[in-house]
Amino acid sequence: MLKPFCSRLLKIRSLASVTAGTIDNQEVQHFEKFLAEWWDEFGPMKPLHSMNKLRVPLIRNGLLNAAAVNSEEMKNPLVLKGISLLDVGCGGGILAEPLVRLGGNVTGIDANSNTIDLAKSHAKINKLEINYIASSIEDHASNHTDSYDAVIASEILEHVSKKEQFLEACIKCLKPQGSLFITTINKTFLANFLGIVMGENILNLLPKGTHQYEKFIQPVKLQRILEDNNCRTELIHGMFYNIFTNTWHWCTDTSVNYALHAIKLKKP
Amino acid sequence: MFLIILKSKSPFAKSIITRTCTKPGRWYSTTGNKHYDIIIAGGGMIGTTLACTLGKNPLLQNKRILLLEAGKEKAWALPDKYTNRVVSINPGTHKLLNSINAWKHIENNRFAIVKRLQVWDAVSDASITFGDQTSPEDVSYIVENDLLIAAVNNELKQLDNVKVQYSAKVTDYHLPEYHESSSSVRLDDGNTYSCELLLGCDGVNSQVRKAMKVNYLTWNYDQMGVVATLNLSELTDSLSSLVWSTTPDHAKELLKMTEDQFVDAVNNAIWKNYGRSLVVDQATKTFDTLLRLMNCPSDTVRQFPPKIAKIEEGSRAAFPLGFGHAVNYIGKGVVLVGDAAHRIHPLAGQGVNLGFGDITCLNRVLGNTVHSGSKLDNLSYLKEYETERQRHNIPTMLAVEGLHRLYNSDFTPLVLLRSLGLQATHALSPLKNAIIHQAAT
């Protein structure tokens, strides 16, 4: 059986914003049919499951570097104890659950109330306490200003049309000195070719319409928006997905998938 | 016939601290919570060490571990006589035992250091030497099985997160189906325990492996390993541990003999002049001259095998030899470790070290799993264990298998090939170092 094509799948993390805001309603519906398959480690979501091997350590070590986590705690299984994290576009909770297992105080928001229900029931089965809310990031930001030690927008930005508004709202939720973690897809010929042309149209590994090239964003542009919102970019890493082994690797080349860690500066 | 003598260079340390393990095990309610994070099936050398290593991993400190051992809890005291079952511990295993603090108990009792290892061919002059008498690095350590287990048990008893259940006869293993998330183990006393991850350390005839229905490649050598503890004639207190692999019939004979006859048989096997081939003799001599011309280290002064004076009373035993390889070491909610996953000919003393290498690797992988917030049975992490261990174990197993076949023959071209190969390996330091490295980790 052909394994679903890499990164392109990643987009399936659902979206933030039911209401007007930054997300498109057609995108929200697109993901509902995947509900049952969210938690199959080898199902259509497997690249998101295997991506945890990179992004959980990215978040953990990023918070250590940002001094949010004490280095003595690094050998502790509950390394994120006392840290509040917001997972924007949490989907079924693939990323939220491991963060809770590390002791984090996790809030997950998603535009799709069906996925939120699924996430809630899965967390219950696993006896994990996660605060899941069906909400847009804008709505959430309006009453959670300066609330979180970390905000995570993983595999969601490439589904958002109004990126400036979306990121502004994410950053609004962050405490000063808090960390923003983003993983997304670059706007390059290669990303377009692998993700959309090959993945969706030729190999049919992904449903057509999962991704739109116009919504991809270059790292430089992203960095620029973050700077405008008083954030300093700490690092940008390329990510490479091996479709044959279903494993992710860090790489220097950011031309397809990449991850970014930024820190919100104190008010000037 | 193949014969290995591991001769201890330093006489066994005699400082005997009679460390008994009679402290009663902690009492646990059998009716209480029967779910554990990890269940380890099999409390042999590998299972016990694995339980202790995982129990001491700070990243796994919140995990509850159950070790199931079919045997009774034994009060152990260091016997005066050396037991016949010993293992050769390589530097990698030594490091592992050090890291769990078990080595100090072994050190306080007795063990032997192997400084130098020499292998020679019975039907030619070729030989190879590993290690150096003066080098600070030890080739390996010889430790009695029982002492090793007792040393690890000493540490294990101090851990609160590990429960050991003795006399645990398992009647059934249930591995999780696609939709299930836990494995379960049923005991003959009616108790059933469930766990997130089942670790099969139950040896060559692993029941866990059978429950996994994994492909298992195996064959018997039609050989038995005869073990005994020997007294060498040169020094009165110099002891040697013998593993003699031979045909089952011959092994039976060897066990039936009187002790004097057995000593004669060993001496005869070591000193007997086997039919030598002129071609091989000439070729090895020429090759040796060539190596000298090229300034390569050539045949060193050959150390002659020792003469055996007598054997320790009642130290003879025999066990069957075979090869086994599980195609997969992991499955949903289950992992195979040690002999359950792989079994090799004991001729290089590597079998148990492969098992200890598995432990080191699995401990690191499970630590990473927890440190990334994943569940213990996350297959993408367990796959790392399988890949890393198979990449190490399979070449080692094939090399040992190859050596076994090569040295099991008197066919002249083969003798010639192996003799020249042995000389060349001895002469080429990089090749020799690569072998030492593979065997040490």
Side-chain angles (χ1 to χ4, degrees):
Chain A
M1 195 192 81
L2 274 175
K3 301 193 174 179
F5 209 66
C6 54
S7 26
R8 342 313 122 198
L9 250 210
L10 320 183
K11 44 326 260 201
I12 297 166
R13 264 177 88 77
S14 5
L15 315 198
S17 141
V18 211
T19 51
T22 49
I23 287 319
D24 312 280
N25 266 327
Q26 68 187 56
E27 289 247 13
V28 175
Q29 281 163 13
H30 176 83
F31 296 108
E32 287 184 9
K33 44 184 167 179
F34 291 103
L35 285 185
E37 290 149 343
W38 270 109
W39 283 99
D40 183 357
E41 234 183 281
F42 303 99
M45 296 301 169
K46 67 178 183 178
L48 285 182
H49 285 281
S50 63
M51 192 191 246
N52 278 354
K53 256 189 182 177
L54 291 198
R55 54 189 180 172
V56 176
L58 172 83
I59 293 163
R60 184 191 71 209
N61 297 343
L63 288 171
L64 176 80
N65 293 339
V69 174
N70 192 326
S71 61
E72 284 156 25
E73 293 296 308
M74 271 314 260
K75 275 283 162 191
N76 191 328
L78 299 176
V79 59
L80 297 184
K81 198 162 190 155
I83 306 238
S84 57
L85 304 105
L86 173 66
D87 185 5
V88 185
C90 61
I94 293 176
L95 178 58
E97 291 198 0
L99 294 174
V100 172
R101 274 195 209 95
L102 288 179
N105 243 330
V106 180
T107 303
I109 63 168
D110 201 290
N112 186 328
S113 56
N114 288 341
T115 33
I116 285 292
D117 288 346
L118 179 97
K120 278 182 183 165
S121 61
H122 194 269
K124 205 173 167 191
I125 297 168
N126 281 276
K127 300 188 185 87
L128 295 172
E129 261 184 51
I130 308 176
N131 181 22
Y132 283 121
I133 308 169
S135 157
S136 71
I137 181 68
E138 292 79 18
D139 292 349
H140 192 75
S142 62
N143 47 13
H144 290 86
T145 311
D146 291 358
S147 302
Y148 295 97
D149 295 308
V151 172
I152 301 144
S154 182
E155 303 306 308
I156 167 92
L157 201 56
E158 63 273 21
H159 302 286
V160 175
S161 308
K162 298 172 186 166
K163 296 192 168 34
E164 284 86 353
Q165 273 170 260
F166 174 85
L167 290 166
E168 197 186 326
C170 289
I171 293 162
K172 195 174 163 194
C173 295
L174 266 185
K175 292 178 187 168
Q177 302 290 301
S179 289
L180 175 66
F181 297 96
I182 295 171
T183 70
T184 188
I185 305 176
N186 200 343
K187 194 173 194 172
T188 58
F189 171 77
L190 192 62
N192 188 14
F193 177 75
L194 289 177
I196 301 176
V197 179
M198 292 294 289
E200 294 181 19
N201 297 333
I202 298 181
L203 299 174
N204 286 328
L205 297 168
L206 277 181
K208 282 182 192 170
T210 304
H211 279 133
Q212 281 109 45
Y213 179 66
E214 312 78 60
K215 291 191 189 168
F216 294 174
I217 182 167
Q218 290 156 335
V220 215
K221 268 203 162 154
L222 178 54
Q223 240 179 306
R224 173 74 190 280
I225 300 174
L226 296 176
E227 253 169 53
D228 290 347
N229 284 285
N230 196 32
C231 284
R232 183 184 67 228
T233 301
E234 293 285 296
L235 62 84
I236 300 180
H237 280 326
M239 298 191 291
F240 164 74
Y241 181 68
N242 183 333
I243 56 165
F244 300 106
T245 58
N246 183 32
T247 45
W248 288 88
H249 305 275
W250 292 119
C251 63
T252 47
D253 177 40
T254 57
S255 63
V256 184
N257 292 88
Y258 64 96
L260 179 147
H261 173 203
I263 291 183
K264 181 177 181 179
L265 302 175
K266 286 182 188 147
K267 295 219 168 78
Chain B
M1 183 181 69
F2 195 84
L3 174 69
I4 299 174
I5 295 187
L6 296 165
K7 184 190 167 201
S8 79
K9 278 298 167 191
S10 66
F12 282 96
K14 282 272 185 174
S15 68
I16 297 168
I17 296 170
T18 323
R19 191 180 285 278
T20 51
C21 301
T22 45
K23 189 176 129 201
R26 282 184 302 281
W27 183 82
Y28 289 86
S29 155
T30 48
T31 52
N33 186 353
K34 290 180 179 176
H35 184 80
Y36 289 84
D37 295 299
I38 298 172
I39 293 181
I40 300 172
M45 217 175 336
I46 295 296
T48 308
T49 309
L50 181 60
C52 188
T53 310
L54 297 181
K56 289 194 170 204
N57 186 338
L59 288 169
L60 300 173
Q61 58 185 267
N62 299 336
K63 303 294 178 192
R64 298 185 54 208
I65 302 170
L66 173 68
L67 174 64
L68 297 173
E69 162 59 21
K72 292 205 181 92
E73 180 172 17
K74 282 177 263 181
W76 183 85
L78 190 74
D80 287 341
K81 279 194 184 158
Y82 301 94
T83 48
N84 56 8
R85 295 307 301 269
V86 298
V87 286
S88 159
I89 297 296
N90 72 12
T93 306
H94 178 240
K95 201 171 145 196
L96 171 71
L97 293 174
N98 243 332
S99 74
I100 59 169
N101 258 335
W103 186 255
K104 67 168 195 244
H105 301 307
I106 296 171
E107 227 166 24
N108 286 341
N109 286 278
R110 60 193 180 197
F111 69 105
I113 300 173
V114 177
K115 279 281 188 192
R116 190 160 163 269
L117 187 68
Q118 188 169 37
V119 181
W120 58 93
D121 199 315
V123 292
S124 81
D125 278 333
S127 75
I128 188 167
T129 312
F130 296 101
D132 179 346
Q133 198 77 60
T134 56
S135 136
E137 280 167 47
D138 302 325
V139 174
S140 66
Y141 307 87
I142 308 296
V143 183
E144 292 157 275
N145 293 19
D146 291 346
L147 170 58
L148 197 153
I149 293 180
V152 177
N153 259 327
N154 250 342
E155 288 297 315
L156 187 61
K157 280 171 190 296
Q158 293 160 23
L159 299 174
D160 287 331
N161 52 344
V162 184
K163 178 195 166 182
V164 186
Q165 178 157 341
Y166 292 97
S167 310
K169 305 266 189 306
V170 176
T171 53
D172 185 35
Y173 291 104
H174 175 75
L175 301 181
E177 303 286 337
Y178 181 73
H179 58 279
E180 294 171 314
S181 61
S182 62
S183 308
S184 58
V185 181
R186 196 161 64 227
L187 303 187
D188 69 347
D189 62 3
N191 277 322
T192 303
Y193 298 99
S194 64
C195 64
E196 200 169 329
L197 189 61
L198 174 67
L199 306 178
C201 303
D202 46 351
V204 172
N205 295 313
S206 171
Q207 293 303 312
V208 175
R209 189 183 65 227
K210 281 170 194 155
M212 279 172 78
K213 300 192 179 77
V214 62
N215 280 331
Y216 186 63
L217 181 67
T218 183
W219 56 78
N220 281 320
Y221 290 121
D222 196 25
Q223 278 192 334
M224 302 283 281
V226 176
V227 292
T229 309
L230 307 172
N231 270 335
L232 305 183
S233 51
E234 302 144 30
L235 298 159
T236 45
D237 63 345
S238 185
L239 293 164
S240 181
S241 173
L242 167 85
V243 184
W244 184 347
S245 64
T246 183
T247 60
D249 290 343
H250 188 219
K252 240 181 255 170
E253 268 174 48
L254 287 172
L255 291 184
K256 271 191 212 149
M257 288 175 180
T258 65
E259 288 178 351
D260 286 344
Q261 282 172 327
F262 182 78
V263 170
D264 288 343
V266 175
N267 279 326
N268 189 29
I270 301 174
W271 289 98
K272 177 179 157 191
N273 267 328
Y274 294 89
R276 300 173 69 120
S277 150
L278 278 176
V279 183
V280 176
D281 272 356
Q282 195 55 49
T284 50
K285 263 182 212 145
T286 315
F287 193 49
D288 191 47
T289 317
L290 188 69
L291 289 173
R292 278 171 208 273
L293 279 176
M294 290 163 67
N295 232 354
C296 290
S298 74
D299 241 359
T300 45
V301 182
R302 174 162 163 188
Q303 174 171 5
F304 284 98
K307 184 117 176 128
I308 312 304
K310 58 177 182 153
I311 79 164
E312 292 282 295
E313 220 171 295
S315 71
R316 271 180 292 171
F319 57 96
L321 305 181
F323 177 96
H325 164 67
V327 175
N328 291 107
Y329 290 3
I330 62 166
K332 189 167 159 60
V334 63
V335 177
L336 296 176
V337 183
D339 281 0
H342 43 74
R343 175 192 193 192
I344 56 176
H345 196 285
L347 72 82
Q350 283 296 306
V352 77
N353 289 305
L354 295 184
F356 283 112
D358 292 349
I359 294 175
T360 307
C361 176
L362 186 60
N363 180 47
R364 193 185 64 241
V365 167
L366 291 180
N368 284 343
T369 309
V370 168
H371 212 197
S372 302
S374 290
K375 291 167 81 173
L376 287 171
D377 58 355
N378 186 310
L379 281 172
S380 74
Y381 281 91
L382 294 181
K383 189 82 194 156
E384 282 179 20
Y385 160 78
E386 182 182 80
T387 307
E388 182 178 327
R389 288 319 290 166
Q390 291 197 337
R391 274 186 197 157
H392 182 272
N393 293 350
I394 294 172
T396 307
M397 294 167 78
L398 291 179
V400 171
E401 181 67 16
L403 282 176
H404 165 67
R405 285 172 190 262
L406 196 58
Y407 277 89
N408 219 12
S409 161
D410 292 336
F411 185 49
T412 304
L414 268 187
V415 174
L416 179 64
L417 181 72
R418 75 191 187 203
S419 299
L420 297 182
L422 202 60
Q423 280 178 303
T425 311
H426 184 63
L428 296 170
S429 317
L431 180 59
K432 201 159 115 176
N433 289 339
I435 295 172
I436 292 173
H437 180 76
Q438 172 80 8
T441 52

